[in-house]
Amino acid sequence: MAAMTEPQQTSTTESAQLNKANGLIAIEDLHTSAAKLSIAENATVDGSTDPVKTPFTKPSSTSKIPNAPSLTPEQSTKYEKLLTTATSWTTKPSSAPSTPAIPITDSDRIWLTRECLLRYLRATKWNVQDAASRLQATLTWRHEYGLENHSPEYISPENATGKQVIQGYDIAGRPCLYLNPGKQNTERSNKQVEHLVFMLERTLDLMPAGQEMLALLINFDKKMGGDRPPLWQGKQVLNILQSHYPERLGRSLVINIPWVVWTFFKLINPFIDPATREKLKFDQDLRQFVPPSQLLKTHGGDVNFVYDHDVYWPALNELAAKKRAMMMERWEQAGKKIGESEYYLRAGEKEVKSEVVENGHA
């Protein structure tokens, strides 16, 4: 990826002063003003600005979250059928043979939002029975994989170098999850996959009202040489993403790809769902996908982000926990219903439709 060039400075202090005296604003002053505006609107958890050390708390004012497409009468009927089915569940199946079913919990019920049911319907091409089966399979996976047992303290060593960072939002208000394989600090293990799943869950926690998808920004270090993820790990991650996080990936932006990673992509390409494959973008200018004011400098943006694990990690997890607690409180106040609106849970109010974006996508 070509390096971004900084705007040149005025030749002398006198010329800049002369411009201002004549009522002219130099290009450099415009860039400085824009940078200051970016800092002002991009609030972080701890108020840090330069360098930024904690997550941004909201998308840029230039980001536009598109409306979800309206349902057809047939789709509405299928949704109601799936909602009736899901509401009747009192247990979820166990994957182990001859093992009793597992009781449905409030964590399961709040997860079964209106938008969640619709995501599984879209992923199964509106087949109600298939959507119900996949929902139950995910409920079972979430329980048996132990998502609620993967605490920040348990995952912390995996992220000590900042190899995964949630920071900023793209032009459609999708939270950005940065993957930095060049900062790998642990041996290959299942815990690395648990780490990715943990960060996916935290990214969803930071989702703004009205947005259901996230953006992945993967920056490969060309110095990786022959070190590439093993095929089994790539297939495992793909299976988790496609089976248990359908309709969640809005865009995947990949830069600085060494030849060995290209080889890896070719190996796993047959396992990538066609819809997912279409969302992959390689070695493009990321400023066209993420506002520069929310894009890290390492990726061509304006944000001077420095990863300090002792600062970032507690800030991220406290922010995510606060948002989850607020959603749970609203869900309980509204009657603890399966099929509750994610917009209401995140915003505390009913959705107000904005300008429609073609096809419901940015």
Side-chain angles (χ1 to χ4, degrees), residues 16 32 67 79 85-86 102 106 134 140 183-185 194 231 238 243 281 286-287 291 308 331 340 343:
T32 301
N67 285 338
Y79 168 74
T85 298
I102 308 157
D106 279 354
R134 283 190 59 176
T140 299
K183 295 185 178 182
Q184 184 58 261
N185 63 319
E194 292 173 348
L231 186 59
L238 277 175
S243 298
K281 305 291 182 184
L286 302 191
R287 295 168 73 97
D308 183 334
W331 183 68
E340 187 57 84
Y343 191 97

Side-chain angles (χ1 to χ4, degrees), residues 326-345:
M326 182 61 71
M327 290 178 67
M328 179 61 76
E329 181 180 339
R330 288 170 179 159
W331 183 68
E332 291 173 345
Q333 290 174 348
K336 303 174 70 171
K337 298 181 298 183
I338 287 176
E340 187 57 84
S341 160
E342 286 181 11
Y343 191 97
Y344 161 71
L345 294 177

